[in-house]
Amino acid sequence: MKLFFKNFTIFNFILIAFCLNANSQEAPHLEKRGKATQLIVDGKPYLVLGGELHNSSSSNLDYLNPLWQPLKQMNLNTALVAVSWELIEPQEGKFDFSLVDGILSGARENNMRVILLWFGSWKNGLSHYSPEWVKKDYKRFPRIVLENGRSTETISALGAASAKADAKAFAALMRHLKTVDSKKKTVIMVQVENEVGVIGGTRDHSSFANSEFAKPVPEQLLESIRKNKTDLQPSLKKLLEAAGSKTKGTWTEVFGNNHSADEAFMAWNYAKYINSIAEAGKAEYNIPMFVNAWIVQPEDKKPGDYPGGGPQAHVHDIWRAGAPAIDFLSPDIYLPDTKRITKMYHHSWNPLFIPESFSGENGAANAFYVIGFHDAIGYSPFGIDNKVDEPSKTPIAKAYNVLRQLTPEITAAQADGAISGFSLDKVDSVQTASLGGYKITVTLRKNWSGVTQVSKGYGLVINTGPDAFTVAGSDIDVTFVPLSPGPKMAGLSWVREGVFEDGKWKQGRLLNGDNIMISYKLADEAHAYRTGTGARLTTEPGILKIKLYRFE
């Protein structure tokens, strides 16, 4: 019996060691776990608490290296860092990865992961980051021609030689990453190009583009539309119906004789171009790859006012068909209506990640909201390397401190569908969710007379077990009303503040009295099946553990 137990434990030890080694060799990847698609790194769900550096910050290591420490002080676990085609292939066929190696070294020294941004053919719709030998050879690498017949500096998405050259450079980069980083997995994802699309016109009007535009819509796209007809974006479905719901024809016949046909044509060509680059890269080192979008602005009237043909929400189905090697499409959010935009980008087939957005209080609120409400892979403010006096005291640093502590709970709850996120302001000051058999109401923090005390609040609520919840955030009041059968009132058995240290909960004060009272208008509260008490989080972001009981 002892011998059997000894052999059994040795076998288990070997099995565990094998599994750990397998996880260590496994490349970062996306995986459907329960109700959420998550980024898996070293065998575990990884929540990106990121920040994107300014475009040129990574072009010189002497400039970049001092930035790592402030980023670490902001509680980032991931930096989004640009790598440009012109710097890794200054001469055709001759690659220099010293800058890439320096980025990896700096990140590792500061215990940080990296998402590389490939600035190849396009950045913000333009071609400023392509090598000089590409810029000069405009016949081999043709440019977009506007409707007035004038050429732009922008590389055409219909240029086969351009796509091939970009793909060759990107493949070389990914091959190098596999060689130097596949074991340490510093780089966990790659953004392919940046905010692509035609600026200044609705499409490319070069003679070759005009010829292609006059041809029938590719069967690959039409087949994808037929296959996904019940799941199409409402805007595309409406567009196709307005054009007669044709199953074949030219771009204008299928999508209408207007700017929408131009945009659909460019979306298909950008998607195919970028797909060829992603395929070449994944053939060398297969890690998640995504494309980001410059969001349509309120003043934009037509494609070209914004980068037309980029992965805008209304052409997602075209990108879905044309770029299967791209794992997801992401919005860069610099508009106040984050909720509307994120709703357009989170699909059953498209997990949400925000690579560029606000920092400050708005950024902190956005991070909590997208991670809690949309099961987002992560969040990243742009210009995170802006100089501040005390990086650890910025709003995003404080928010990330809480999210970092809660990451294991968050990712487990995302998979279980047991989490919701909230972002509140004076216009949208009351929000609700249903979790764990309770209606949860979150409001901006008020005084006992019911007067709102703040203009911004955010948080998330996690159902951790029967009648048990974790509440985290800033400047919110949270109440619970039973939805499941049984007594109709819910009281607080206890509320504990605390922190996670090394993954373990360290409880602080037991909160009661003034710290849990939301309203003394008990008759009104009882009429709404509330007790007048709840979870209260003040301006400093924090974490509360709550246990409820039922009565009547």
Side-chain angles (χ1 to χ4, degrees):
M1 192 70 179
K2 288 183 179 179
L3 180 62
F4 170 80
F5 180 74
K6 181 179 179 181
N7 289 337
F8 180 76
T9 55
I10 290 173
F11 172 78
N12 274 321
F13 177 79
I14 293 171
L15 181 62
I16 291 169
F18 174 81
C19 291
L20 289 174
N21 183 64
N23 284 338
S24 69
Q25 297 302 314
E26 191 176 49
H29 62 281
L30 297 179
E31 185 177 312
K32 183 74 171 178
R33 293 197 170 186
K35 296 185 178 182
T37 298
Q38 297 178 316
L39 173 63
I40 308 300
V41 181
D42 290 332
K44 299 183 297 183
Y46 185 90
L47 193 64
V48 176
L49 306 178
E52 181 173 334
L53 278 65
H54 283 288
N55 300 155
S56 301
S57 295
S58 57
S59 65
N60 180 277
L61 293 178
D62 290 336
Y63 185 93
L64 174 64
N65 287 334
L67 301 177
W68 291 109
Q69 193 59 33
L71 300 185
K72 187 176 181 179
Q73 291 170 7
M74 288 185 199
N75 293 309
L76 270 70
N77 62 13
T78 310
L80 280 70
V81 184
V83 172
S84 65
W85 185 5
E86 63 182 342
L87 289 177
I88 72 161
E89 194 182 7
Q91 298 180 53
E92 186 171 8
K94 295 183 179 180
F95 295 99
D96 179 1
F97 296 110
S98 57
L99 188 63
V100 176
D101 293 339
I103 292 169
L104 298 181
S105 177
R108 290 167 183 164
E109 288 173 7
N110 290 275
N111 194 32
M112 201 170 294
R113 307 279 186 172
V114 168
I115 296 173
L116 286 183
L117 315 177
W118 173 242
F119 290 179
S121 295
W122 303 291
K123 192 273 172 188
N124 288 20
L126 306 176
S127 300
H128 297 158
Y129 288 82
S130 59
E132 186 179 19
W133 54 271
V134 171
K135 292 174 180 175
K136 288 183 174 181
D137 196 349
Y138 56 88
K139 290 186 177 180
R140 180 181 169 197
F141 308 113
R143 311 304 151 87
I144 286 174
V145 177
L146 301 179
E147 195 168 5
N148 62 13
R150 298 289 186 178
S151 296
T152 69
E153 281 192 301
T154 307
I155 292 171
S156 172
L158 285 84
S162 307
K164 184 177 180 180
D166 192 331
K168 181 180 178 182
F170 186 66
L173 169 64
M174 298 307 296
R175 184 163 55 249
H176 180 76
L177 285 178
K178 184 175 183 179
T179 300
V180 303
D181 194 51
S182 59
K183 291 184 179 179
K184 295 186 177 181
K185 294 184 281 292
T186 311
V187 177
I188 54 175
M189 294 197 294
V190 180
Q191 177 185 291
V192 188
E193 313 296 343
N194 181 271
E195 296 182 352
V196 303
V198 180
I199 297 177
T202 56
R203 67 171 175 88
D204 186 353
H205 283 270
S206 65
S207 57
F208 179 71
N210 289 338
S211 174
E212 292 297 302
F213 185 69
K215 293 179 180 179
V217 176
E219 176 58 26
Q220 180 185 346
L221 174 54
L222 295 173
E223 172 59 27
S224 179
I225 290 173
R226 289 192 294 269
K227 178 183 176 182
N228 299 296
K229 62 181 180 180
T230 60
D231 192 32
L232 295 178
Q233 288 289 86
S235 55
L236 181 63
K237 187 180 295 185
K238 183 178 179 181
L239 180 68
L240 294 169
E241 290 173 351
S245 301
K246 296 182 177 65
T247 57
K248 61 181 179 179
T250 65
W251 292 93
T252 55
E253 289 170 341
V254 172
F255 293 97
N257 190 15
N258 51 47
H259 296 321
S260 296
D262 292 348
E263 186 168 21
F265 173 71
M266 293 311 304
W268 175 253
N269 283 289
Y270 275 110
K272 294 291 288 181
Y273 187 114
I274 290 177
N275 189 69
S276 70
I277 295 167
E279 281 186 332
K282 285 189 169 186
E284 300 293 344
Y285 185 33
N286 189 1
I287 62 175
M289 296 181 186
F290 65 97
V291 178
N292 63 328
W294 172 331
I295 296 297
V296 179
Q297 303 297 300
E299 66 273 16
D300 294 339
K301 306 299 182 185
K302 62 183 184 304
D305 296 339
Y306 58 89
Q312 305 294 337
H314 53 274
V315 292
H316 276 184
D317 295 301
I318 298 174
W319 274 81
R320 182 183 184 183
I326 293 298
D327 294 288
F328 54 89
L329 310 171
S330 292
D332 291 347
I333 303 176
Y334 296 106
L335 293 174
D337 50 350
T338 296
K339 293 174 184 176
R340 177 185 67 86
I341 295 167
T342 51
K343 183 179 179 181
M344 293 191 302
Y345 275 79
H346 187 196
H347 312 303
S348 60
W349 55 272
N350 197 69
L352 187 65
F353 174 65
I354 311 299
E356 290 187 37
S357 192
F358 301 109
S359 56
E361 289 293 343
N362 286 331
N366 284 351
F368 269 74
Y369 173 73
V370 300
I371 288 168
F373 191 85
H374 285 292
D375 300 329
I377 291 169
Y379 182 81
S380 169
F382 178 73
I384 197 67
D385 50 331
N386 287 335
K387 292 183 179 179
V388 294
D389 290 335
E390 297 181 276
S392 63
K393 294 184 179 181
T394 59
I396 202 72
K398 293 178 180 181
Y400 278 1
N401 179 43
V402 171
L403 293 170
R404 176 182 53 79
Q405 294 177 57
L406 284 172
T407 291
E409 267 194 30
I410 288 171
T411 53
Q414 286 178 335
D416 293 340
I419 185 173
S420 192
F422 308 87
S423 175
L424 303 97
D425 53 35
K426 287 187 175 181
V427 176
D428 192 10
S429 62
V430 181
Q431 294 169 24
T432 62
S434 297
L435 286 176
Y438 288 87
K439 178 185 177 181
I440 299 165
T441 301
V442 181
T443 62
L444 288 177
R445 183 164 55 87
K446 300 177 180 179
N447 63 21
W448 295 328
S449 299
V451 178
T452 301
Q453 296 180 289
V454 295
S455 60
K456 189 75 180 178
Y458 59 84
L460 54 80
V461 178
I462 300 171
N463 178 214
T464 56
D467 304 315
F469 294 87
T470 296
V471 178
S474 168
D475 280 328
I476 55 174
D477 294 333
V478 185
T479 59
F480 301 83
V481 173
L483 293 173
S484 56
K488 295 182 178 180
M489 301 288 284
L492 299 172
S493 288
W494 47 260
V495 180
R496 283 277 187 184
E497 67 181 3
V499 295
F500 282 92
E501 292 183 353
D502 298 322
K504 296 182 179 179
W505 176 246
K506 180 180 179 182
Q507 65 184 24
R509 294 181 299 167
L510 176 65
L511 301 183
N512 222 316
D514 293 346
N515 300 114
I516 63 169
M517 283 307 302
I518 291 176
S519 174
Y520 278 98
K521 298 178 179 179
L522 295 189
D524 293 341
E525 292 295 298
H527 182 73
Y529 297 105
R530 296 192 299 262
T531 63
T533 63
R536 307 204 74 198
L537 285 159
T538 56
T539 301
E540 197 71 17
I543 304 171
L544 301 177
K545 291 282 188 180
I546 297 170
K547 184 71 173 178
L548 304 174
Y549 72 96
R550 302 273 292 270
F551 71 96
E552 56 184 12

